[in-house]
Amino acid sequence: MSADPLHRAGTARRAPTNPPPTGPEPDAVEIRRSTRRRRTVSAYRERDRTVVLIPARMSEAEERRWVRVMLDKLAAQESRRVLGDAELAERAERLSGQYLDGRARPASVRWVTNQNTRWGSCTPSEGSIRLSHRLQGMPEYVVDYVLLHELAHLLVPGHGPDFWRLLEAYPRTERARGYLEGVVAADRLPHLSGTREA
């Protein structure tokens, strides 16, 4: 396969010869101010954007600080959520409908523990998709990207321009790829078992 980070999770990689196209801004944030809100700030995901609810009296500097805090809080909550195989299959169906016009219909979607050098894999002839257990605990947008990536392989087997065109609609493609590349890079860093003080 290609040098895509999904297929080279544990090895060094070179840039693909056909880089994926860039999509819209991956992290759209909508600020909603309320005069009824006095002190509390809350946030939630709504499709491909984050909605942050803040008091109307808040300054722009406070707004920026709270947006960062709430984005970090949401990411932490999402990273603790682990989907079962049934939920993964439901999510695949939703992603296929939302981004691939429902054309990708896997026969099975499941977590596996024997993929340590790939984030996901797919066997188009069987319609099976497998995601590495190493993705469990990563942000939802990363799991969604890997799942969508494998769904696209049910329609286009390689990583050519037709394949990347299928992923153009997913707004967090570049961010998810960067996250996965960062995980791979961190795995290659030397791990010091202990340090001695001078």
Side-chain angles (χ1 to χ4, degrees):
M1 289 244 147
S2 84
D4 184 74
L6 288 180
H7 298 284
R8 298 288 180 263
T11 59
R13 72 173 212 87
R14 289 186 291 167
T17 51
N18 295 320
T22 57
E25 184 63 31
D27 225 3
V29 176
E30 179 182 332
I31 309 299
R32 294 184 187 166
R33 291 179 174 264
S34 170
T35 54
R36 292 189 311 198
R37 226 172 241 280
R38 298 288 176 224
R39 284 183 253 172
T40 61
V41 176
S42 62
Y44 60 92
R45 303 281 193 210
E46 187 175 85
R47 294 192 180 241
D48 294 322
R49 68 180 171 184
T50 303
V51 177
V52 180
L53 308 169
I54 63 173
R57 64 171 178 70
M58 197 172 274
S59 71
E60 286 185 30
E62 289 175 309
E63 175 185 306
R64 283 191 301 274
R65 182 178 76 80
W66 275 106
V67 166
R68 281 193 307 272
V69 166
M70 297 312 287
L71 288 174
D72 289 345
K73 185 176 180 178
L74 281 174
Q77 288 171 351
E78 290 170 350
S79 71
R80 288 190 295 268
R81 216 175 282 148
V82 176
L83 304 172
D85 288 350
E87 294 166 309
L88 206 55
E90 288 172 15
R91 184 175 232 143
E93 185 178 341
R94 179 182 56 81
L95 289 167
S96 177
Q98 188 174 357
Y99 297 106
L100 302 172
D101 299 322
R103 294 180 298 136
R105 294 187 181 117
S108 67
V109 182
R110 62 192 174 93
W111 296 107
V112 293
T113 57
N114 63 350
Q115 286 190 145
N116 294 316
T117 61
R118 291 181 178 215
W119 297 114
S121 63
C122 143
T123 307
S125 62
E126 298 173 2
S128 63
I129 292 176
R130 296 158 305 280
L131 297 189
S132 172
H133 72 286
R134 295 171 52 214
L135 289 165
Q136 293 174 337
M138 289 189 186
E140 286 183 5
Y141 73 91
V142 175
V143 176
D144 281 354
Y145 166 71
V146 176
L147 195 47
L148 188 61
H149 184 108
E150 300 309 331
L151 285 165
H153 278 309
L154 291 176
L155 305 174
V156 179
H159 288 101
D162 290 342
F163 173 82
W164 291 114
R165 264 192 292 280
L166 291 175
L167 294 179
E168 281 179 345
Y170 186 63
R172 294 183 174 194
T173 292
E174 289 302 313
R175 184 175 180 194
R177 285 173 55 88
Y179 185 100
L180 293 171
E181 288 172 3
V183 170
V184 171
D187 284 347
R188 287 193 305 248
L189 291 174
H191 298 283
L192 302 176
S193 57
T195 56
R196 289 192 309 192
E197 294 183 17

